[in-house]
Amino acid sequence: MSRDQRSVVRELVGAHGRTYAEEAGIRLKDTPQPLYRLLVLAHLLSARIRGSVAVAAARALSEAGLRDPRRMADADWQERVDALGRGGYRRYDERTAAQLGEAAELLTERWGGDLRRLREEADGEVPEVRRLLQEFPGVGPTGADIFLREVQGVWPEVAPYLDRKALQGAERLGLPADPDRLVSLAGTTEPAVLAAALVRAAVDKEVGRDTLDRAG
């Protein structure tokens, strides 16, 4: 049975179009603190752990007051471990706690605690932003992609950013694996919202099945 691709995208976004930043309680703006919190979230989401656990851990770090690089760096290792544990992030908590401290120190020392300066250093070139993000301990290619998927709403030069994981979700739904075509199918939906919905289809088979059932 053939399905209308616009209907598939509409059903997907309607049910699952929520960015991971929004889920973590981050009101994303182009200002230092929410950008830093997004970096932490991307770091946590990049591990081999359920997305819901990573989101809960990001919330727990925020509730512990570790919302900016200075506070993260000043907190001792055990404080970070305990906060991650409260979020259920136990498998990687000790290593991640150390990496978060090191990353916060790097951000403070090299970019004055402000990821906008990293963006300026890259001169708005997305591949260079992606490379610089990977200089943070614990943020590899996957973490950099997560950050860029989410930040494209406030860094417009990044959009449309639909990485390999988002395109996997598109393929699962029988949609074109081409960012420009997907954005066109999504109409007025923001690329960051579309990307998050596609990623959910990639990582959760139930999302794909439910979307296709509702799209007819």
Side-chain angles (χ1 to χ4, degrees), residues 40-139:
V40 170
L41 176 62
H43 181 164
L44 299 176
L45 282 166
S46 66
R48 294 179 180 271
I49 201 164
R50 289 196 315 277
S52 58
V53 173
V55 166
R59 282 184 171 274
L61 288 166
S62 178
E63 289 164 3
L66 308 181
R67 301 185 191 93
D68 62 54
R70 182 184 60 77
R71 290 187 177 91
M72 185 69 79
D74 286 349
D76 65 35
W77 175 81
Q78 191 62 54
E79 282 182 76
R80 296 192 292 264
V81 169
D82 291 345
L84 290 167
R86 287 193 294 274
Y89 202 92
R90 295 187 178 88
R91 184 176 175 187
Y92 303 102
D93 56 349
E94 296 186 359
R95 183 182 65 182
T96 300
Q99 290 172 336
L100 288 171
E102 294 164 8
E105 290 175 3
L106 174 62
L107 178 56
T108 300
E109 293 168 6
R110 182 165 173 184
W111 292 292
D114 188 346
L115 283 162
R116 295 175 301 180
R117 295 186 182 179
L118 179 151
R119 179 191 186 188
E120 290 171 5
E121 182 176 321
D123 198 27
E125 295 295 328
V126 176
E128 181 64 4
V129 172
R130 187 175 186 270
R131 186 191 70 79
L132 290 172
L133 288 168
Q134 292 176 63
E135 296 196 13
F136 292 109
V139 179

Side-chain angles (χ1 to χ4, degrees), residues 19 28-30 38 119 147-159 161 190-193:
T19 66
L28 196 56
K29 296 186 291 185
D30 188 25
L38 176 60
R119 179 191 186 188
F147 181 90
L148 289 166
R149 281 198 318 252
E150 296 274 319
V151 84
Q152 63 185 317
V154 295
W155 288 2
E157 73 275 12
V158 174
Y161 197 89
E190 293 183 9
V193 172

